[in-house]
Amino acid sequence: MPRSGFGLWKIPQDKTADTVVEAVRAGYRHFDSAADYGNEVQTGDGIARAVSEGLVSREELWITSKLWNTFHAPEHVEEACRKSLGDLGLDFLDLYLIHFPIALEYVPISTRYPPEWVHEPETDGAGMKLAKVPLHQTWAAMETLVDKGLVKNIGVCNYNSGLLHDLMTYSRIRPAMLQIESHPYLTQERLIRLAGDYGVDVTAFSPLGAQSYFELNMAAEGDSLLGAAPVMVAASAHCKTPAQVLLRWGIQRGTAIIPKTTKPERMRENLDIDDFELSRVEMAAISSLNQDRRFNDPGAFTEAAFNTFHPIYD
C-alpha cells in the first residue's frame, strides 16, 4: 500500500470525480473511501475516468473502503461490501475496514443510504439506536469477504489497545491495518507500538491535525499545528511548508497518511515529501507537542450532534 494516500472524507459529490482524476494525475495511487462519506459513486466515476484515459490501471491502485456501523450484523456485512463495490465500480477492494467499533441498528439500503448515525432522523429528538452485535461476529463476517475474494485485506478503524488485544484472540485472519487519528497533538505512541508488535500496519487519518475540523466546528483556528514552533523551525530548515513537515513526520514514524484536499497544487505539495528527512531532534521536538488532543471523538460529537452519549475512548 502506498504510504501517502488520498482521503475522500468531506469532498462534495459534485467535486469528487474531478478530484480523484486530478489526484491520480498528481501521482496518488492510494485512495481512502467509506460508505459514510456519501461519495463512493462519484469516486467510482473518477476511478473509471482515470483508467479509461490511460492515467492508471486498476492494478496500480489501492482502494480502501469501510463497513458502516449499521451493517455490523453478520448477515449485512457482505451486503454493505457489495454496495460499496457497486458504487465504486470495482470487482474487489484492496482493504476493507470496520469504520467504528460501534454497532447500530440496521437500516436497509433502500430506506436510506448512507444510513449515517441517527436511526430515525425525521423524528424530533431522534438519536442513535445501538444494536447488540459483538465485534467478534462482525469480524468473522469480514473474514468471509476475504474468503470470497471480495476484498484482499481487512482491518479496523478507531480501535483502542483493549479492542486490538481482544481482536487478536479471536481473529482467524489477522487485521492488516489499524486506522486511527494521529498527528503531533495526538501521537498515540503506545497504540502504534502495540499494533507494530502484532504486525498490524497503521494509517493515520487527519495527519495535519485540526485542519479537517474547522468547518465542522470541532476545532478552532488556535488548534492548528501549522504555526507550532517546532513545525515552523523544521519547515524553514528544509525549505518546506509546515504541512509537508507534518506529513513527513507521519511517514517517518512509520504510519501511512491520508491527507485530503481538492486543490491540485496542494495535492502535489502533499506528495512532495520524499526528498528530505527530519532529524532525530526535529522528530522529537514535533512529537513533544502531544496533548492527547483528539478532534474526532465520538464521546464528544455523538452527544452534541446525535443526542446520544457514546464514548469509545477513556
Side-chain angles (χ1 to χ4, degrees), residues 4-78:
S4 291
F6 192 90
L8 293 159
W9 181 43
K10 296 195 293 86
I11 296 182
Q13 289 182 354
D14 61 351
K15 294 184 178 180
T16 300
D18 289 342
T19 296
V20 169
V21 173
E22 284 299 325
V24 170
R25 287 197 181 103
Y28 289 92
R29 298 295 181 264
H30 166 194
F31 289 88
D32 184 83
S33 182
D36 189 54
Y37 300 168
N39 56 11
E40 288 199 315
V41 170
Q42 294 77 20
T43 296
D45 291 342
I47 292 171
R49 278 175 47 194
V51 171
S52 68
E53 292 175 17
L55 300 175
V56 71
S57 67
R58 170 63 182 99
E59 292 71 27
E60 294 176 282
L61 293 173
W62 179 284
I63 308 298
T64 297
S65 187
K66 306 179 187 75
L67 177 78
W68 186 239
N69 305 339
T70 55
F71 299 106
H72 273 218
E75 63 269 24
H76 300 309
V77 170
E78 184 174 331

Side-chain angles (χ1 to χ4, degrees), residues 21 23 34 38 42 51 64 85 98 119 133 137 142 146 148 166 198 201 217 235 255 286-287 297:
V21 173
Q42 294 77 20
V51 171
T64 297
L85 285 171
I98 295 176
H119 189 68
V133 183
Q137 292 184 2
M142 295 281 284
V146 179
K148 293 181 177 182
D166 193 43
Y198 276 128
D201 211 345
N217 295 318
T255 64
I286 294 170
S287 296
D297 184 356

Side-chain angles (χ1 to χ4, degrees), residues 55 61 80 106-107 127 136 193 201 225 312:
L55 300 175
L61 293 173
Y106 175 64
V107 176
H136 72 85
R193 178 182 173 183
D201 211 345
L225 277 160
I312 60 174

Side-chain angles (χ1 to χ4, degrees), residues 10-295:
K10 296 195 293 86
I11 296 182
Q13 289 182 354
D14 61 351
K15 294 184 178 180
T16 300
D18 289 342
T19 296
V20 169
V21 173
E22 284 299 325
V24 170
R25 287 197 181 103
Y28 289 92
R29 298 295 181 264
H30 166 194
F31 289 88
D32 184 83
S33 182
D36 189 54
Y37 300 168
N39 56 11
E40 288 199 315
V41 170
Q42 294 77 20
T43 296
D45 291 342
I47 292 171
R49 278 175 47 194
V51 171
S52 68
E53 292 175 17
L55 300 175
V56 71
S57 67
R58 170 63 182 99
E59 292 71 27
E60 294 176 282
L61 293 173
W62 179 284
I63 308 298
T64 297
S65 187
K66 306 179 187 75
L67 177 78
W68 186 239
N69 305 339
T70 55
F71 299 106
H72 273 218
E75 63 269 24
H76 300 309
V77 170
E78 184 174 331
E79 173 192 16
C81 180
R82 288 189 181 276
K83 172 62 173 169
S84 283
L85 285 171
D87 286 350
L88 291 166
L90 302 177
D91 295 324
F92 68 90
L93 292 167
D94 297 278
L95 177 63
Y96 198 48
L97 304 171
I98 295 176
H99 204 148
F100 282 95
I102 301 172
L104 298 179
E105 281 290 323
Y106 175 64
V107 176
I109 290 171
S110 59
T111 298
R112 186 174 66 254
Y113 191 87
E116 301 181 331
W117 292 86
V118 176
H119 189 68
E120 296 178 335
E122 66 281 358
T123 303
D124 290 342
M128 296 160 52
K129 188 174 182 180
L130 301 177
K132 293 182 178 181
V133 183
L135 286 169
H136 72 85
Q137 292 184 2
T138 306
W139 186 257
M142 295 281 284
E143 291 171 328
T144 65
L145 302 178
V146 179
D147 297 336
K148 293 181 177 182
L150 296 175
V151 304
K152 300 293 186 181
N153 301 276
I154 51 178
V156 294
C157 300
N158 302 300
Y159 271 41
N160 58 30
S161 57
L163 290 177
L164 190 58
H165 282 305
D166 193 43
L167 174 57
M168 290 302 175
T169 68
Y170 59 73
S171 56
R172 173 173 60 87
I173 299 175
R174 293 234 169 165
M177 184 66 65
L178 168 66
Q179 186 177 124
I180 54 172
E181 179 183 351
S182 190
H183 42 74
Y185 280 164
L186 183 68
T187 56
Q188 303 236 58
E189 291 173 3
R190 291 191 298 179
L191 181 54
I192 291 172
R193 178 182 173 183
L194 176 65
D197 288 348
Y198 276 128
V200 179
D201 211 345
V202 176
T203 296
F205 70 79
S206 302
L208 298 178
Q211 305 304 117
S212 296
Y213 301 95
F214 294 151
E215 65 193 86
L216 301 175
N217 295 318
M218 294 166 68
E221 293 288 340
D223 295 318
S224 176
L225 277 160
L226 298 181
V231 176
M232 295 184 71
V233 168
S236 178
H238 295 280
C239 299
K240 292 290 183 177
T241 66
Q244 288 172 316
V245 167
L246 291 170
L247 297 177
R248 182 65 198 178
W249 174 85
I251 290 290
Q252 277 189 221
R253 66 200 299 254
T255 64
I257 52 173
I258 45 173
K260 160 256 176 184
T261 182
T262 57
K263 299 177 180 179
E265 64 273 17
R266 289 285 175 82
M267 296 177 189
R268 289 166 174 78
E269 176 186 312
N270 290 346
L271 273 182
D272 186 22
I273 57 174
D274 293 330
D275 60 348
F276 75 107
E277 185 169 337
L278 297 171
S279 70
R280 186 179 303 176
V281 171
E282 289 169 330
M283 288 291 292
I286 294 170
S287 296
S288 72
L289 294 169
N290 182 53
Q291 304 173 2
D292 295 327
R293 174 71 164 92
R294 192 183 302 277
F295 296 105

